[in-house]
Amino acid sequence: ASIRVARSDDRTGMPSSLRAALADIKLAHSVFALPFAVLAALLARPADAGWGRSAAQLALVAVCMVLARTWAMLFNRIADRALDAANRDFLTGLYNRRYFFEQAERLFDRAAAGEFSILIAMIDADHFKKINDTFGHQMGDRALVAIADTLRELVEGRGLVARYGGEEFACL
């Protein structure tokens, strides 16, 4: 069986959510530049060429409206992806400790109110240092990813899995 590093690009090591946010920024730049190039061409035409300055002014208003809407949509996508990247562990793609505590507090409050029962499991990979010392840190990273993938599959759709720290994981 092959082991993969979750949510990262083998070439750059950059998380996929961050790569997607950067792609959105590049797209936003393209969306921003093209209408202004068209507008500049309209304004450069003589008034008697069939498209006068009033048409260019209307085009400017239309461009501004399209840009405002496009930038708002792209900003929301970028913000969502940046937030997702901030809430996840870079190596495993699992949620990180901070996000786990935020969600656990909310879920514990709901469980205390009787909405549902809750169970928490803390998992520590025993003697993990031996893996790093014997096989190297790259194999240790692969082992962490394999553990994360297994926990993710076991909890899928029924709870929350997070990398608590080092070789420690938490399932809620």
Side-chain angles (χ1 to χ4, degrees):
S2 66
I3 299 174
R4 61 174 174 70
V5 176
R7 299 180 54 83
S8 69
D9 182 296
D10 293 334
R11 232 174 348 105
T12 64
M14 186 183 300
S16 60
S17 55
L18 183 56
R19 280 195 329 275
L22 291 174
D24 283 345
I25 291 170
K26 289 178 184 175
L27 174 62
H29 183 274
S30 300
V31 167
F32 184 76
L34 180 62
F36 280 103
V38 171
L39 180 62
L42 284 174
L43 289 173
R45 294 179 62 117
D48 60 351
W51 283 86
R53 294 214 179 260
S54 61
Q57 289 168 341
L58 288 174
L60 177 59
V61 170
V63 165
C64 289
M65 290 171 51
V66 168
L67 286 176
R69 179 161 169 76
T70 303
W71 273 96
M73 290 186 322
L74 288 174
F75 176 78
N76 286 337
R77 282 176 53 185
I78 292 166
D80 288 347
R81 288 182 174 158
L83 181 62
D84 185 61
N87 287 329
R88 294 198 180 267
D89 173 62
F90 180 79
L91 176 65
T92 63
L94 292 177
Y95 289 111
N96 59 28
R97 178 182 178 140
R98 181 185 50 78
Y99 182 82
F100 176 79
F101 279 118
E102 289 172 0
Q103 296 306 308
E105 185 177 336
R106 184 180 58 80
L107 293 172
F108 279 127
D109 289 344
R110 290 179 58 198
E115 289 184 43
F116 49 77
S117 298
I118 198 165
L119 174 74
I120 186 167
M122 298 297 295
I123 296 101
D124 181 53
D126 289 338
H127 311 292
F128 187 77
K129 185 177 179 332
K130 283 186 178 181
I131 294 173
N132 282 337
D133 291 347
T134 305
F135 301 105
H137 289 278
Q138 186 174 15
M139 287 305 293
D141 287 350
R142 288 183 176 187
L144 290 172
V145 169
I147 294 168
D149 288 345
T150 301
L151 293 173
R152 187 183 295 113
E153 288 174 20
L154 290 171
V155 175
E156 184 178 359
R158 297 182 313 243
L160 174 69
V161 181
R163 184 169 178 200
Y164 193 77
E167 71 277 2
E168 299 170 325
F169 300 86
C171 299
L172 186 63

